[in-house]
Amino acid sequence: MFMQILLFSTMYPVLFILYFVYRTYRREKDGYLFGVRAKQEWCGEEEVLKIQAEYFRELKRNFIVLLIIPLTSFFIPYVSIIFTVWLLWLLGAIVVMMVPFARAHKKMLSWKQERGWQQKDSMQYTELKCAGEVRCMKGLPYLLMNLAAVAVAVAAVLLIHRDFAVLSYIVVVFALLNPLIYVLARWIDRQKVEVISTDSEVNLNFARAKKNIWNKCWLLFMVFNTLWTGVMFLIGLLRTTLFFSGMAIWGSVFYGLISILIFGVVWHKMDKIDKSYQEKRDLPELADDDNNWIFGMFYYNKNDRHKIVTARTGLGTTMNMATPLGMGVNIFGALAILIIPVCCIWVILLEFTPINLRVQNETIVATQLKTDYEIPLEEIVSMEEIGELPRWSRTNGTGMENVCKGTFFIRNEGKCQVFLDPRNSMFLKIETAERIYYLGGDSDDQTEEVKQAVLEALKFE
């Protein structure tokens, strides 16, 4: 149930965000409709209205279908299958919600071309005043947040890495988000001024207003991320299993919701700025390079050396996919997408491959998909049969209903190595000079066989 809550809270809102973003695309904005350069008067044409209506119907239909699919996960008893359903659903939602826009873009482009309204030699405008530069970013607040995050990360490595290695890594990852946020903030702040008017003051004020919002957004997000990095560090210091587990789940939910809220506010404020400057747009003619835009979203132009261009949809800018940078990002994105089904297959194999515990060649061998542990019998100091597992928290490894393996932390005992099926009722606690193991076989009978083999070999009483 915890996993369901976590997945619903972090992934389900993505669908609503996609829906409310895409529904705004059915209206003409900044001279574009469905990613096609369009004049405002065209929006009253009957066929254009029909394209808009069909787009909205298809968008709502896809939204409703995607809304229902995750509910099936409540009837699935297997964690790996639930995980797979959610990951593939998230990937599918991103693609499926894009399909109506791609179809509307194609229809709109065909309608425009059939009437011969596609301009061939349109002008591109560049703001020359102040070299087109507007800077709203102040470096000191970002520096302070980065230093604070680095200090927390260093403390995590020094103070909690030994007992909670995975949590210390998580703290470091969150800390590393701060430099990334700074890079994104600086990149957006250095973007060229978008030209919307023949009046340079209008262009500069428009750019300044947008960059101020982005600057506040990134700074707010960095402050929140720094505080959350500190919270994760404190969780590691407390080393309380129940508290750690609860914070890991509800903390992820909270982090996701706050992030969505911050960027939702940015979207709303950006939309207000666009509306407030609508009447000040007075350029007679803009670039009509529809053929360089794939689905009206992705820019691909070999003749354009610019790596970053103004996006026709959404906020801010996008990359020129024909440049080396754009190609690199595309390759990275494709690899990231391919990793998703691989991860799903791996999780399924972990859950459905039974564990195996045996004594072989004077060694206890624990195997599932691969050999996880090999414990020479001569290194065993003590062995104890237990019927109830201690309260612990997983710091590294796998924790499912039918298999627990990896490194776990027990209060007042420290780290231990675990390999067992928690549904069974018989387990072995084995100590060596260096480590403590909690082991169990696929069944109690298999665990009993290992116990007897060890007793016989070492003559334990």
Side-chain angles (χ1 to χ4, degrees):
M1 182 57 68
F2 277 143
M3 183 177 180
Q4 292 283 32
I5 294 173
L6 178 63
L7 292 172
F8 261 97
S9 302
T10 55
M11 293 191 181
Y12 215 45
V14 173
L15 177 61
F16 292 88
I17 294 172
L18 289 172
Y19 174 70
F20 286 110
V21 168
Y22 274 106
R23 68 178 289 170
T24 63
Y25 292 166
R26 74 182 190 272
R27 299 189 298 269
E28 181 271 337
K29 182 180 179 182
D30 300 340
Y32 297 107
L33 180 59
F34 299 123
V36 176
R37 169 59 68 184
K39 296 181 179 179
Q40 195 168 9
E41 56 266 26
W42 294 356
C43 297
E45 295 284 339
E46 182 178 351
E47 292 189 38
V48 174
L49 292 174
K50 183 179 178 181
I51 293 173
Q52 290 174 306
E54 290 175 351
Y55 165 76
F56 194 45
R57 281 197 299 270
E58 185 177 0
L59 185 67
K60 287 194 294 185
R61 183 171 62 250
N62 291 356
F63 172 71
I64 293 173
V65 172
L66 289 168
L67 204 63
I68 297 172
I69 291 176
L71 300 178
T72 60
S73 65
F74 282 108
F75 303 97
I76 301 174
Y78 304 107
V79 173
S80 60
I81 303 299
I82 294 173
F83 181 75
T84 299
V85 167
W86 273 101
L87 279 185
L88 296 181
W89 173 85
L90 180 62
L91 184 61
I94 295 172
V95 175
V96 170
M97 294 300 284
M98 187 189 299
V99 169
F101 185 90
R103 289 180 176 174
H105 169 79
K106 183 178 180 180
K107 293 176 183 177
M108 187 68 194
L109 191 59
S110 298
W111 177 83
K112 179 180 175 180
Q113 291 173 343
E114 286 172 2
R115 284 152 182 78
W117 288 346
Q118 189 165 15
Q119 303 162 3
K120 301 297 183 182
D121 300 316
S122 303
M123 296 291 293
Q124 289 193 356
Y125 295 92
T126 302
E127 178 57 61
L128 297 178
K129 187 172 183 179
C130 299
E133 295 182 358
V134 172
R135 302 287 182 263
C136 298
M137 184 177 168
K138 300 285 191 297
L140 182 59
Y142 291 92
L143 176 62
L144 294 176
M145 290 299 103
N146 273 303
L147 291 176
V150 169
V152 174
V154 171
V157 172
L158 295 176
L159 299 178
I160 68 174
H161 180 79
R162 181 177 178 180
D163 295 327
F164 268 145
V166 171
L167 185 56
S168 69
Y169 296 147
I170 292 174
V171 172
V172 171
V173 168
F174 275 114
L176 289 175
L177 285 178
N178 273 10
L180 178 60
I181 295 170
Y182 172 76
V183 171
L184 290 172
R186 184 175 175 81
W187 174 49
I188 290 180
D189 195 58
R190 294 179 67 85
Q191 293 302 303
K192 64 181 181 181
V193 172
E194 181 181 354
V195 180
I196 64 172
S197 171
T198 54
D199 187 343
S200 292
E201 291 302 320
V202 172
N203 296 327
L204 297 177
N205 289 334
F206 180 69
R208 193 174 292 110
K210 283 198 167 186
K211 289 185 178 183
N212 268 324
I213 291 176
W214 274 119
N215 179 57
K216 292 177 181 178
C217 163
W218 293 123
L219 192 55
L220 178 61
F221 189 65
M222 183 179 280
V223 170
F224 169 65
N225 186 71
T226 302
L227 292 174
W228 184 247
T229 304
V231 169
M232 297 302 290
F233 170 68
L234 291 176
I235 293 173
L237 286 181
L238 291 173
R239 296 184 176 92
T240 303
T241 302
L242 183 61
F243 186 65
F244 172 68
S245 301
M247 285 298 295
I249 294 172
W250 293 110
S252 299
V253 174
F254 177 73
Y255 190 93
L257 292 177
I258 293 297
S259 301
I260 291 172
L261 177 63
I262 290 174
F263 288 102
V265 171
V266 170
W267 183 279
H268 176 67
K269 288 184 176 295
M270 288 293 189
D271 189 56
K272 287 182 64 176
I273 290 176
D274 284 331
K275 289 178 180 178
S276 65
Y277 276 84
Q278 192 63 40
E279 295 180 357
K280 298 178 181 180
R281 297 176 181 270
D282 60 358
L283 293 180
E285 185 180 10
L286 293 176
D288 195 355
D289 55 346
D290 291 335
N291 293 329
N292 294 324
W293 288 84
I294 303 172
F295 303 136
M297 296 182 176
F298 310 107
Y299 185 66
Y300 187 92
N301 187 356
K302 293 182 179 180
N303 298 320
D304 189 350
R305 292 180 297 177
H306 290 93
K307 299 179 180 67
I308 307 297
V309 296
T310 302
R312 287 192 168 189
T313 57
L315 299 174
T317 58
T318 188
M319 289 187 177
N320 183 358
M321 295 168 58
T323 62
L325 177 62
M327 291 180 181
V329 171
N330 290 333
I331 293 173
F332 178 80
L335 291 175
I337 291 173
L338 290 175
I339 288 174
I340 292 178
V342 173
C343 290
C344 293
I345 293 172
W346 175 253
V347 173
I348 291 173
L349 288 174
L350 280 177
E351 184 168 17
F352 288 93
T353 301
I355 61 176
N356 183 35
L357 189 69
R358 66 190 186 278
V359 176
Q360 179 180 323
N361 298 327
E362 300 297 316
T363 302
I364 296 178
V365 181
T367 305
Q368 188 204 32
L369 297 178
K370 63 180 181 66
T371 300
D372 292 276
Y373 299 109
E374 289 182 323
I375 310 171
L377 297 184
E378 61 185 18
E379 294 183 5
I380 297 177
V381 176
S382 66
M383 181 178 67
E384 176 188 355
E385 178 185 335
I386 59 175
E388 184 177 350
L389 295 173
R391 296 182 62 184
W392 55 31
S393 59
R394 177 168 52 92
T395 61
N396 183 29
T398 302
M400 295 183 180
E401 183 180 354
N402 67 325
V403 58
C404 288
K405 67 176 185 177
T407 304
F408 286 63
F409 179 83
I410 302 175
R411 192 173 181 85
N412 299 325
E413 189 170 303
K415 290 193 296 184
C416 61
Q417 305 303 310
V418 175
F419 184 92
L420 50 83
D421 183 342
R423 298 174 300 177
N424 295 335
S425 58
M426 177 183 177
F427 311 98
L428 300 176
K429 179 182 178 181
I430 295 177
E431 294 189 38
T432 66
E434 297 180 353
R435 294 181 180 179
I436 299 175
Y437 296 86
Y438 284 85
L439 304 176
D442 184 42
S443 64
D444 289 340
D445 291 339
Q446 190 178 82
T447 306
E448 179 66 29
E449 290 177 8
V450 171
K451 173 188 171 183
Q452 294 303 324
V454 174
L455 290 174
E456 182 178 346
L458 299 182
K459 302 297 187 294
F460 281 152
E461 296 183 358

